[in-house]
């Protein structure tokens, strides 16, 4: 993975959360932005551009704002339309690509923008038979282009986060994502100290996954991990006290706009 140093001004945006959804009739789209700051609150100018670079919104705010788009083009795998969001402060500019879309489940059927969806998905590892764990942008593009050519529309990042750029490519190419956290234990642990250590490590990985991909349009599912059962956090026969229950609740508390997956529990 690439490693880089980023110098940022002292007065800057520390974090931002974007929530972009259509209204029920699809005639308007709402882009909600919430920001927090590293040192003190500063004014931020938000600009929204269409895919062909036409400015449709420009507003200045501080902590949160809602931008309304008339007759939005909605994002899905067949038409992965992205708006460009620019957040500008006095000393820096941040750019994000935003798709407007809605997900819900009704009678065990997944709907995206009100249309039923059938997932034709695959697991993807960040690896290559020649270069091993070193993956270039061209290799990522080749992977996704082959998937699109074979009518694959969904990817599970088994069993860990992939390179960050791959998530942008899924937004751009139109591939639904199950964002899986790096958690796979295959173990039963009963020692209380060991359980506490593993719970802390597991929760750290969940929070990292959430913060990295909370603004990713193609991310439809959070996955808390793979093949770890629930037994290694069992206490007095009660799974509810374990790390997996805590991780499920963590995502439910922070994001009700996406689905949640773990093979060991619902």
């Amino acid at each position: 993975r690439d490693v880089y140093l980023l110098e940022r001004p002292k007065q800057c945006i520390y974090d931002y959360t974007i929530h972009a959804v259509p209204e029920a009739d699809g005639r308007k789209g709402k882009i909600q932005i919430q920001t927090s700051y590293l040192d003190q609150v500063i004014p931020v100018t938000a600009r929204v551009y269409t895919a062909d670079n036409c400015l449709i919104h420009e507003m200045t705010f501080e902590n949160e704002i809602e931008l309304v788009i008339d007759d939005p083009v909605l994002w899905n795998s067949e038409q992965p339309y992205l708006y460009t969001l620019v957040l500008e402060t006095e000393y820096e500019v941040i750019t994000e690509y935003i798709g407007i879309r809605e997900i819900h489940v009704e009678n065990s059927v997944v709907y995206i923008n009100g249309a039923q969806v059938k997932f034709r998905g695959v697991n993807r590892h960040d690896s290559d038979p020649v270069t091993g764990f070193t993956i270039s942008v061209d290799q990522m593009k080749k992977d996704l282009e082959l998937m699109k050519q074979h009518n694959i529309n969904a990817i599970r990042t088994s069993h860990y986060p992939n390179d960050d750029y791959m998530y942008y490519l899924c937004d751009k190419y139109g591939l639904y994502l199950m964002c899986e956290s790096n958690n796979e234990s295959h173990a039963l642990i009963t020692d209380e100290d060991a359980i506490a250590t593993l719970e802390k490590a597991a929760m750290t990985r969940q929070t990292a996954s959430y913060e990295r991909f909370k603004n990713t349009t193609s991310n439809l599912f959070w996955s808390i991990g793979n093949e770890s059962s629930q037994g290694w956090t069992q206490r007095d026969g009660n799974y509810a006290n374990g790390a997996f229950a805590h991780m499920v609740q963590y995502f439910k508390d922070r994001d009700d706009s996406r689905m949640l997956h773990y093979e060991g529990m619902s």
Side-chain angles (χ1 to χ4, degrees), residues 172-210:
K172 180 180 178 181
Y173 289 177
L175 284 147
Y176 302 131
L177 277 173
M178 177 181 286
C179 290
E180 189 153 284
S181 300
N182 185 13
N183 183 41
E184 183 169 0
S185 67
H186 289 276
L188 177 66
I189 296 176
T190 56
D191 178 80
E192 288 291 325
D193 292 335
I195 288 172
T197 300
L198 282 171
E199 286 183 351
K200 182 178 180 180
M203 282 302 302
T204 297
R205 296 181 183 199
Q206 308 315 305
T207 57
S209 180
Y210 172 76

Side-chain angles (χ1 to χ4, degrees), residues 1 124-136 139 143 160:
R1 299 287 173 83
R124 179 185 184 273
H125 279 283
D126 235 3
S127 62
D128 183 89
V130 177
T131 61
F133 298 121
T134 303
I135 307 299
S136 68
Q139 287 168 303
D143 270 359
Y160 45 82

Side-chain angles (χ1 to χ4, degrees), residues 13 19 23 41 54 91 107 123 126 134 185 201 205 217 249:
I13 297 173
H19 189 57
E23 291 188 344
V41 175
C54 292
Y91 298 109
N107 297 324
N123 292 329
D126 235 3
T134 303
S185 67
R205 296 181 183 199
T217 299
Q249 196 60 48

Side-chain angles (χ1 to χ4, degrees), residues 105 110 119 123 155-160 177-183 206 209 219-230 243-245 247-249 251-252 255 258-266:
V105 180
V110 178
F119 294 107
N123 292 329
I155 296 173
R156 175 180 175 227
T157 62
S158 59
H159 302 295
Y160 45 82
L177 277 173
M178 177 181 286
C179 290
E180 189 153 284
S181 300
N182 185 13
N183 183 41
Q206 308 315 305
S209 180
N219 174 15
L220 305 191
F221 298 84
W222 296 113
S223 172
I224 65 174
N226 178 70
E227 294 181 0
S228 300
S229 184
Q230 299 174 49
F244 288 97
M247 289 185 283
V248 167
Q249 196 60 48
F251 284 116
K252 287 184 175 181
D255 188 358
R258 294 181 172 95
M259 296 171 282
L260 186 62
H261 165 80
Y262 179 61
E263 62 189 333
M265 64 194 305
S266 59

Side-chain angles (χ1 to χ4, degrees), residues 46 49 52 63 81 103 119 167 192 223 242:
Y49 298 85
D52 54 0
N63 292 306
Y81 188 95
I103 318 160
F119 294 107
Y167 297 78
E192 288 291 325
S223 172

Side-chain angles (χ1 to χ4, degrees), residues 4-255:
Y4 61 90
L5 295 176
L6 179 64
E7 182 180 9
R8 302 191 65 199
K10 183 177 181 181
Q11 308 294 346
C12 68
I13 297 173
Y14 176 73
D15 192 18
Y16 54 92
T17 302
I18 302 165
H19 189 57
V21 295
E23 291 188 344
D25 59 7
R27 298 178 65 180
K28 293 183 182 295
K30 296 180 179 179
I31 300 178
Q32 299 167 332
I33 309 165
Q34 294 179 314
T35 52
S36 60
Y37 299 90
L38 184 63
D39 183 48
Q40 65 184 34
V41 175
I42 55 176
V44 178
T45 299
R47 299 183 181 91
V48 178
Y49 298 85
T50 62
D52 54 0
N53 208 34
C54 292
L55 179 65
I56 55 174
H57 267 297
E58 181 173 359
M59 296 182 69
T60 299
F61 72 104
E62 291 184 346
N63 292 306
E64 59 183 84
I65 193 173
E66 180 177 278
L67 305 173
V68 178
I69 298 176
D70 294 327
D71 299 317
V73 182
L74 303 185
W75 184 97
N76 59 37
S77 66
E78 289 79 23
Q79 187 180 29
Y81 188 95
L82 295 174
Y83 292 88
T84 301
L85 171 66
V86 176
L87 301 175
E88 183 174 354
T89 67
E90 183 178 0
Y91 298 109
E92 70 176 352
V93 176
I94 298 170
T95 301
E96 280 279 3
Y97 298 97
I98 303 300
I100 299 174
R101 55 102 181 98
E102 181 270 342
I103 318 160
H104 74 275
V105 180
E106 186 176 335
N107 297 324
S108 301
V109 176
V110 178
Y111 292 82
I112 297 178
N113 304 327
Q116 294 186 24
V117 174
K118 180 177 287 187
F119 294 107
R120 298 177 297 278
V122 294
N123 292 329
R124 179 185 184 273
H125 279 283
D126 235 3
S127 62
D128 183 89
V130 177
T131 61
F133 298 121
T134 303
I135 307 299
S136 68
V137 170
D138 286 341
Q139 287 168 303
M140 290 183 232
K141 288 182 178 178
K142 182 180 178 180
D143 270 359
L144 302 192
E145 287 167 0
L146 284 170
M147 291 178 192
K148 294 292 286 189
Q149 290 167 7
H150 289 80
N151 295 317
I152 292 168
N153 68 354
I155 296 173
R156 175 180 175 227
T157 62
S158 59
H159 302 295
Y160 45 82
N162 285 189
D163 186 283
D164 284 3
Y165 195 75
M166 201 276 294
Y167 297 78
Y168 160 69
L169 290 176
C170 288
D171 285 354
K172 180 180 178 181
Y173 289 177
L175 284 147
Y176 302 131
L177 277 173
M178 177 181 286
C179 290
E180 189 153 284
S181 300
N182 185 13
N183 183 41
E184 183 169 0
S185 67
H186 289 276
L188 177 66
I189 296 176
T190 56
D191 178 80
E192 288 291 325
D193 292 335
I195 288 172
T197 300
L198 282 171
E199 286 183 351
K200 182 178 180 180
M203 282 302 302
T204 297
R205 296 181 183 199
Q206 308 315 305
T207 57
S209 180
Y210 172 76
E211 295 297 343
R212 283 176 68 181
F213 308 123
K214 64 186 178 183
N215 297 323
T216 301
T217 299
S218 52
N219 174 15
L220 305 191
F221 298 84
W222 296 113
S223 172
I224 65 174
N226 178 70
E227 294 181 0
S228 300
S229 184
Q230 299 174 49
W232 57 270
T233 57
Q234 181 178 350
R235 289 176 178 157
D236 300 323
N238 183 6
Y239 292 127
N241 292 326
F244 288 97
H246 295 162
M247 289 185 283
V248 167
Q249 196 60 48
Y250 173 87
F251 284 116
K252 287 184 175 181
D253 289 343
R254 285 159 181 78
D255 188 358

